[in-house]
């Protein structure tokens, strides 16, 4: 079936408007969508008088649009992080349970699980020690911010731990043995850290 320039433009707009791209205010992607639509219109109009029926031009434009869409999807950052995932999912476990799962994962080379389970162990340990209050749905970033208020000397490590967790969960970073070691060392430091009381911080 012949594909006109207008049909190619319509298909490109429908594809780029897919919910896969997320709901957001006018962004770079929205501006690109408008620009692509205008470009397809101009090229279709210009080619109408050159190629009879314009079907060949429409087909070429459709192929180009599909290639552009594929490139956008491939290069699109995996983190459209309007909402971060919660630290904990499924059954409630103790800090010791999460540490054991992390150690087992690291031993078999599953460094992504080692990283995620280690931060879960840290989260539960901080709750058990009353450094942070238990709260369902807490994210890694929230944990780092809340714990840093009582453990200011560990703020940088907490931030790095949250970043590692988020990068692994979103797939932006491949977990390595170094990632697992970093999280394990953070766990050790936090276990030994003494919370700073408000009156101590005021001195």
């Amino acid at each position: 079936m012949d594909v006109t320039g207008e049909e190619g433009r319509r298909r490109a707009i429908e594809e780029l408007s897919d919910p896969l791209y997320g709901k957001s205010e006018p962004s770079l992607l929205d501006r690109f969508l408008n620009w692509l639509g205008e470009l397809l219109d101009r090229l279709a109009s210009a080619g109408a008088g050159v190629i009879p029926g314009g079907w060949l031009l429409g087909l070429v434009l459709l192929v180009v649009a599909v290639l552009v869409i594929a490139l956008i999807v491939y290069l699109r950052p995996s983190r459209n992080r309007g909402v971060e995932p919660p630290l904990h999912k499924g059954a409630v476990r103790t800090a010791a349970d999460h540490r054991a799962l992390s150690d087992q994962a690291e031993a078999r080379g599953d460094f992504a699980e080692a990283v995620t389970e280690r931060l879960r162990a840290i989260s539960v340990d901080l709750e058990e020690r009353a450094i942070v209050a238990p709260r369902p749905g807490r994210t890694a970033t929230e944990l780092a911010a809340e714990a840093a208020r009582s453990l200011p000397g560990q703020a940088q490590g907490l931030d790095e731990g949250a970043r590692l967790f988020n990068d692994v969960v979103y797939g932006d970073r491949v977990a390595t043995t170094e990632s697992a070691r970093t999280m394990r060392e953070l766990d050790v430091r936090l276990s030994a850290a003494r919370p700073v009381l408000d009156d101590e911080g005021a001195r």
Side-chain angles (χ1 to χ4, degrees), residues 33-105:
L33 174 62
N34 292 333
W35 173 82
L36 180 62
E38 293 172 1
L39 177 64
L40 291 173
D41 272 342
R42 288 198 300 271
L43 291 176
S45 298
V50 177
I51 303 174
W55 66 269
L56 181 58
L57 177 62
L59 181 60
V60 171
L61 292 177
L62 179 59
V63 170
V64 170
V66 169
L67 289 176
V68 169
I69 292 166
L71 184 62
I72 290 173
V73 171
Y74 180 76
L75 296 179
R76 177 174 173 262
S78 59
R79 65 169 82 182
N80 183 7
R81 298 189 178 180
V83 178
E84 290 183 7
L87 267 171
H88 296 277
K89 294 180 180 179
V92 176
R93 293 187 170 95
T94 65
D97 290 338
H98 285 297
R99 287 189 179 105
L101 289 172
S102 180
D103 289 339
Q104 293 164 14

